Amino acid sequence: MARTKQTARKATGGSAPRVNLQVLQKKKAKAKAASNKPSLKIPANVNSFCVMCRDGGDMWVCDKKGCNRVVCHKCLIVSEEYMYKVKKADVKFICNDPKPYFGFYSKGEPVLSTPPIIPGGFQHAMTSQVAPLPTALVHLHLEGLHQDIGHPQLPFNLATPESMEAYEKEASHLANTLCAYSRVVLFLTTHSDEDRGDLFTGYLHKKPVASKPFQVLQLLLSPLSKVADGADIVFYVCGSVVTNPQSFDGVKEVAQQSMLLFDAQNLQLAFTVPCLQSVLDNTIIQGFPISSAAKVALNNCGRFGGGKVSVD
């Protein structure tokens, strides 16, 4: 039987029948008894929102092996007269097949005599999915370089033992609060030395100091190890950290996850917004790897202060 599920809609409009709450109360006992009956189990990794309209509601769950996508009943309409056919035990639903598309199949043959009604269309790539896992966005930034980008802020100054200890304490506490999230994206904002590619780590006697990227990233990420090992990292850092071979090798040595860096000599953060919006949508929502998402974003965005994007 074609699997179904129901998820909350993100849109606030629509229509719904009126119900009498007193009648519902009387039905509680019957509902409790019915809940003990065996029900169809839906895998936990099945998408929550329709791959076509990105909204919730009543869903058809794809039965193709390895596919977690769902299509809502409003985007793929099956008339009432055929509903009993698609709910038979041997019927499988396939979300994306070559034309002509019939959607529901039994032993490889279409169940419907005519293709189902599909009033809408895909709002993104047909190879993507809509799998919004609980995601935390965290902004690590050099003290004094605060950028209000709407994420939890984690300032750092690693120039003294005391300030380093204070950062480690705050970072460890934050890591404990983020353990419940399935995915974490870290944003790192600091300056880089134009000649050596070193990353600014803090201030000593009110003057900035810098260290090798390998050392800086180790100190920043170690207290966040509970969540950083699988996190994506976006560098809001000027391009010398990429263009200097030794500096970039240090970054790659630490990397245990996907990292996105810009190699523009004078990175202008305002220019990165469209690119990052595209990257995050394609990775967090649509499930593409960050390397593929960055290439797509580059085709839709302008220059980043005179440079390009490097993905490793």
Side-chain angles (χ1 to χ4, degrees), residues 42-170:
I42 303 300
N45 58 351
V46 166
N47 292 182
S48 297
F49 300 109
C50 174
V51 70
M52 297 184 71
C53 68
R54 298 192 182 196
D55 208 348
D58 294 319
M59 301 289 177
W60 300 112
V61 181
C62 185
D63 289 299
K64 183 183 289 185
K65 185 177 180 180
C67 184
N68 300 320
R69 303 195 299 180
V70 295
V71 180
C72 75
H73 289 198
K74 288 188 176 181
C75 287
L76 193 152
I77 301 173
V78 178
S79 61
E80 287 297 328
E81 61 180 309
Y82 292 113
M83 192 64 73
Y84 77 97
K85 287 188 176 183
V86 302
K87 290 186 176 181
K88 289 183 177 179
D90 62 338
V91 174
K92 305 295 183 182
F93 170 68
I94 306 300
C95 68
N96 182 17
D97 249 7
K99 296 180 180 179
Y101 175 68
F102 286 89
F104 302 88
Y105 301 88
S106 175
K107 299 178 181 179
E109 296 297 325
V111 171
L112 304 177
S113 57
T114 58
I117 300 172
I118 303 178
F122 284 86
Q123 294 191 14
H124 47 234
M126 292 181 67
T127 54
S128 66
Q129 56 181 324
V130 186
L133 299 172
T135 302
L137 308 179
V138 182
H139 186 204
L140 284 69
H141 62 86
L142 181 69
E143 276 188 3
L145 279 183
H146 173 73
Q147 298 284 335
D148 188 8
I149 55 178
H151 313 330
Q153 307 292 319
L154 186 58
F156 62 85
N157 180 0
L158 308 178
T160 67
E162 294 78 16
S163 61
M164 189 182 299
E165 183 179 356
Y167 167 79
E168 290 175 350
K169 183 178 180 180
E170 287 297 319

